[in-house]
């Protein structure tokens, strides 16, 4: 039941095959992106588990949550999910133009690596695939990106050089199949000798793990797994900037939030965020830390480093499902010190999965049943949101896809108040038109068209013969195979 509803939520998100011009003026940058947070960045990054920052919601933290949410929205706004496109499943733009193309200007970050994923799951027949005879890839999908803050003014504002990893939510065939595999499997990097699932071992959801670790040697884009791609690029960046104060921020929505959680666990468990005091900088030495080739490979680094020995890792999770069991949760947060902040709309069913769903008045019973029969639990702290609090959203349209929509989440964060009426607190006020980029949730009285984020003529262009045909991509925007030799 939960899987079918999750399918419905993501299948109708609708933003991934669209990339348009925004109703905002090009180049406009919200003032809340310019809040000076350097003196308290560690606190905002979760060093004290966001104590005293959630109730009421701290304004600097509100701005940071929205900023990371916008980085996550990029993964939808730039993604080609049109099954009639030869490039279905890829990103529309090359790395150096990505943010500008989706109208996210002046970020101060540089995209350094695209992430491609595949899965060993078999896609059900009803899932959409590219109908082209010569698709760019039959096996892989673009799944996110790695970026690093390179602008000196932004580094000063943030108080450190931030490395960002953004994961996309569920859209493509193999991902749907992966979401439907709800069996729990061992998180093989469990460092405790002799532990097995069911006897004190760490367990994670099989489908999420499959997308993260699967590689296919005969493919052009997944000769290495998404996991290896991310860890290799992270290791390179940590070594490049090893003299700087740094942070690692991982973000994702829906399935992307699950992958972000796995990724954070993996980085910390692998020891890539460990500092070497002898190196004289917060980046530390990483050349002696091997990239684990398989999920079960662990390093010889200590399991529980002190806070001073690590580059902090924080996950900003939007509408994420449960990922693992109690042991996984405890090890990620207590054993490894990874900080996870989950943004959850109380009317969104995806964060309640895997599991069964009962009416809200039976939520306690639902939680008990799911705990006994599914054994999944959430990692980290939760900030509860409620779409019914917003006077801008139509309550009659509060169905599953709208309640799960990422732009809807960012709207709720912008207006969330611990007490008192909903009030958009960002400066300038966050544009309510953004909510309807890929859905129809804003009340009609505001005259915002539904699903307005679209490319011109849905990607068709009139050719020299006067026929409307699919627009050929510029060579610079075509996917480039990953040439790994390892």
């Amino acid at each position: 039941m939960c899987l079918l509803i999750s399918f419905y939520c993501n299948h109708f998100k609708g933003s991934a095959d669209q990339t348009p011009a925004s109703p905002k003026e090009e180049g406009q940058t919200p003032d809340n992106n310019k809040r000076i947070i350097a003196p308290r960045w560690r606190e905002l990054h979760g060093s004290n588990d966001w104590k005293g920052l959630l109730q009421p919601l701290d304004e600097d933290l509100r701005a940071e949550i929205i900023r990371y949410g916008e980085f996550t929205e990029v993964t939808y706004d730039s993604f080609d999910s049109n099954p009639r496109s030869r490039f279905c499943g890829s990103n529309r733009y090359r790395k150096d133009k990505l943010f500008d193309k989706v109208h996210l200007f002046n970020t101060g970050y540089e995209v350094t690596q695209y992430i491609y994923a595949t899965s060993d799951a078999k896609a059900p027949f009803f899932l959409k695939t590219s109908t082209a005879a010569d698709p760019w890839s039959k096996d892989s999908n673009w799944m996110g990106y790695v970026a690093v803050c390179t602008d000196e003014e932004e580094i000063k504002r943030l108080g450190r050089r931030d490395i960002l990893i953004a994961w996309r939510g569920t859209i493509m065939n193999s991902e749907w199949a992966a979401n439907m595999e709800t069996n729990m499997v061992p998180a093989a990097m469990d460092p405790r000798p002799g532990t097995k699932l069911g006897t004190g071992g760490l367990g994670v959801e099989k489908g999420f793990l499959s997308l993260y670790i699967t590689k296919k040697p005969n493919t052009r884009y997944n000769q290495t797994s998404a996991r290896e791609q991310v860890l290799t690029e992270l290791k390179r960046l940590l070594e490049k900037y090893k003299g700087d104060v740094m942070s690692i921020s991982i973000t994702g929505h829906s399935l992307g939030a699950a992958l972000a959680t796995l990724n954070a666990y993996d980085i910390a468990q692998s020891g890539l965020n460990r500092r070497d005091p002898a190196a004289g900088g917060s980046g530390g030495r990483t050349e002696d830390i091997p990239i684990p080739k398989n999920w079960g490979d662990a390093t010889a680094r200590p399991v529980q480093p002190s806070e001073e020995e690590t580059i902090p890792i924080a996950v900003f999770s939007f509408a994420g499902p449960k990922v693992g069991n109690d042991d996984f949760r405890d090890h990620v947060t207590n054993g490894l010190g990874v900080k996870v902040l989950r943004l959850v709309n109380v009317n969104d069913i995806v964060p309640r999965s895997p599991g069964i769903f009962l009416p809200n008045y039976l939520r306690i019973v639902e939680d008990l049943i799911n705990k006994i029969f599914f054994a999944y639990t959430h990692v980290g702290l939760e900030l509860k949101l409620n779409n019914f609090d917003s006077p801008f959203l139509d309550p009659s349209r509060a169905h599953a896809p709208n309640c799960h929509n990422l732009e809807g989440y960012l709207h709720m964060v912008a207006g969330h108040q611990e007490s008192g009426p909903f009030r958009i607190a960002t400066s300038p006020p966050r544009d309510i038109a953004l909510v309807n980029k890929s859905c129809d949730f804003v009340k009609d009285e505001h005259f915002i068209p539904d699903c307005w984020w679209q490319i011109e003529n849905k990607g068709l262009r009139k050719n020299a013969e006067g026929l409307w045909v699919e627009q050929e991509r510029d060579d610079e925007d075509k996917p480039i195979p990953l040439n790994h030799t390892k």
Side-chain angles (χ1 to χ4, degrees), residues 205-277:
E205 199 269 346
K206 180 180 178 181
F208 302 152
L209 183 61
S210 172
L211 279 170
Y212 186 60
I213 68 172
T214 299
K215 55 185 174 182
K216 297 180 178 180
N218 296 325
T219 64
R220 292 187 296 169
Y221 296 87
N222 276 114
Q223 294 178 18
T224 56
S225 65
R227 173 183 187 249
E228 290 174 276
Q229 295 165 38
V230 172
L231 296 188
T232 299
E233 180 61 11
L234 177 62
K235 181 178 178 180
R236 185 186 73 83
L237 292 174
L238 291 174
E239 185 60 27
K240 179 177 180 179
Y241 299 111
K242 61 185 178 182
D244 295 354
V245 176
M246 284 190 282
S247 63
I248 300 171
S249 304
I250 312 176
T251 184
H253 171 257
S254 192
L255 168 66
L259 294 174
T261 304
L262 281 178
N263 188 198
Y265 160 64
D266 195 11
I267 293 169
Q269 185 63 47
S270 299
L272 290 179
N273 69 321
R274 310 290 170 83
R275 297 187 180 104
D276 183 348

Side-chain angles (χ1 to χ4, degrees), residues 13 60 108 183 213 250 266 279 296 395-396 403 425 427 429 433:
K13 183 180 187 302
D60 286 338
N183 295 332
I213 68 172
I250 312 176
D266 195 11
S396 69
C403 290
S427 177

Side-chain angles (χ1 to χ4, degrees), residues 389-455:
D389 290 341
S390 172
F392 302 99
L393 305 181
D394 189 339
S396 69
R397 300 173 188 164
H399 46 69
N402 283 348
C403 290
H404 187 59
N405 183 273
L406 177 55
E407 282 290 0
Y409 264 73
L410 300 186
H411 170 76
M412 286 180 263
V413 171
H416 174 75
Q417 306 296 327
E418 181 62 24
S419 61
F422 185 95
R423 176 178 59 85
I424 296 181
T426 54
S427 177
R430 186 169 178 80
D431 192 349
I432 64 171
L434 296 172
V435 175
N436 270 12
K437 284 172 74 175
S438 60
C439 69
D440 185 15
F441 207 0
V442 177
K443 290 180 178 177
D444 291 341
E445 64 194 62
H446 299 289
F447 300 101
I448 307 297
D450 64 300
C451 301
W452 56 261
W453 184 264
Q454 298 183 24
I455 60 173

Side-chain angles (χ1 to χ4, degrees), residues 140-424:
S140 303
N141 292 307
W142 182 83
M143 204 65 208
Y145 62 92
V146 180
V148 62
C149 187
T150 56
D151 180 79
E152 291 302 323
E153 289 302 314
E154 184 68 359
I155 292 171
K156 290 179 182 178
R157 187 186 76 83
L158 297 176
R160 83 282 190 187
R161 187 183 298 276
D162 187 40
I163 297 175
L164 168 72
I165 305 170
W167 293 90
R168 180 177 57 76
T170 312
I171 293 174
M172 301 305 296
N173 293 9
S174 60
E175 298 161 36
W176 286 121
N179 271 354
M180 293 179 183
E181 293 188 26
T182 58
N183 295 332
M184 188 176 289
V185 296
M189 291 178 70
D190 184 345
R192 294 166 293 181
T195 58
K196 296 181 179 179
L197 187 62
T199 58
L202 279 65
V204 295
E205 199 269 346
K206 180 180 178 181
F208 302 152
L209 183 61
S210 172
L211 279 170
Y212 186 60
I213 68 172
T214 299
K215 55 185 174 182
K216 297 180 178 180
N218 296 325
T219 64
R220 292 187 296 169
Y221 296 87
N222 276 114
Q223 294 178 18
T224 56
S225 65
R227 173 183 187 249
E228 290 174 276
Q229 295 165 38
V230 172
L231 296 188
T232 299
E233 180 61 11
L234 177 62
K235 181 178 178 180
R236 185 186 73 83
L237 292 174
L238 291 174
E239 185 60 27
K240 179 177 180 179
Y241 299 111
K242 61 185 178 182
D244 295 354
V245 176
M246 284 190 282
S247 63
I248 300 171
S249 304
I250 312 176
T251 184
H253 171 257
S254 192
L255 168 66
L259 294 174
T261 304
L262 281 178
N263 188 198
Y265 160 64
D266 195 11
I267 293 169
Q269 185 63 47
S270 299
L272 290 179
N273 69 321
R274 310 290 170 83
R275 297 187 180 104
D276 183 348
S282 65
R285 292 171 57 87
T286 59
E287 67 269 15
D288 60 337
I289 303 177
I291 299 295
K293 292 297 182 183
N294 299 296
W295 179 254
D297 294 343
T299 68
R301 293 298 177 107
V303 174
Q304 295 182 324
S306 68
E307 183 176 332
E308 293 74 21
E309 294 174 325
T310 62
I311 298 169
I313 300 173
V315 177
F316 293 87
S317 166
F318 297 88
K322 302 166 191 173
V323 177
N325 59 8
D326 287 349
D327 286 331
F328 176 77
R329 174 200 61 197
D330 294 342
H331 183 59
V332 170
T333 56
N334 299 329
L336 298 175
V338 173
K339 307 301 182 180
V340 180
L341 180 59
R342 297 186 300 106
L343 292 304
V344 175
N345 178 5
V346 296
N347 304 299
D348 183 0
I349 60 173
V350 173
R352 294 156 61 184
S353 65
I356 65 167
F357 305 119
L358 298 176
N360 284 339
Y361 63 87
L362 294 175
R363 185 67 64 86
I364 295 177
V365 178
E366 174 188 307
D367 291 342
L368 179 61
I369 294 174
N370 287 337
K371 185 68 175 177
I372 295 173
F373 293 100
F374 289 87
Y376 288 95
T377 192
H378 277 298
V379 176
L381 282 77
E382 177 179 273
L383 176 61
K384 290 184 178 180
L385 310 169
N386 192 333
N387 56 272
F388 289 116
D389 290 341
S390 172
F392 302 99
L393 305 181
D394 189 339
S396 69
R397 300 173 188 164
H399 46 69
N402 283 348
C403 290
H404 187 59
N405 183 273
L406 177 55
E407 282 290 0
Y409 264 73
L410 300 186
H411 170 76
M412 286 180 263
V413 171
H416 174 75
Q417 306 296 327
E418 181 62 24
S419 61
F422 185 95
R423 176 178 59 85
I424 296 181

Side-chain angles (χ1 to χ4, degrees), residues 32-101:
N32 62 355
N33 275 358
K34 298 301 180 183
R35 302 179 72 95
I36 306 300
I37 63 170
R40 56 190 308 230
W41 77 262
R42 293 182 186 276
E43 178 187 19
L44 297 173
H45 206 249
S47 64
N48 197 28
D49 294 316
W50 295 284
K51 184 178 180 180
L53 301 182
L54 300 178
Q55 297 177 341
L57 181 58
D58 180 90
E59 292 306 321
D60 286 338
L61 181 58
R62 186 195 307 272
E64 281 295 274
I65 292 170
I66 292 175
R67 188 171 71 93
Y68 285 113
E70 289 175 338
F71 280 130
T72 308
E73 181 66 24
V74 169
T75 65
Y76 290 120
D77 293 346
S78 61
F79 186 71
D80 186 347
S81 66
N82 179 7
R84 296 181 178 87
S85 167
R86 185 162 61 90
F87 297 101
C88 181
S90 71
N91 190 289
R92 293 183 180 276
Y93 310 112
R94 72 186 196 190
K95 296 191 295 290
D96 62 338
K97 291 185 176 182
L98 177 62
F99 293 145
D100 285 350
K101 286 290 189 178

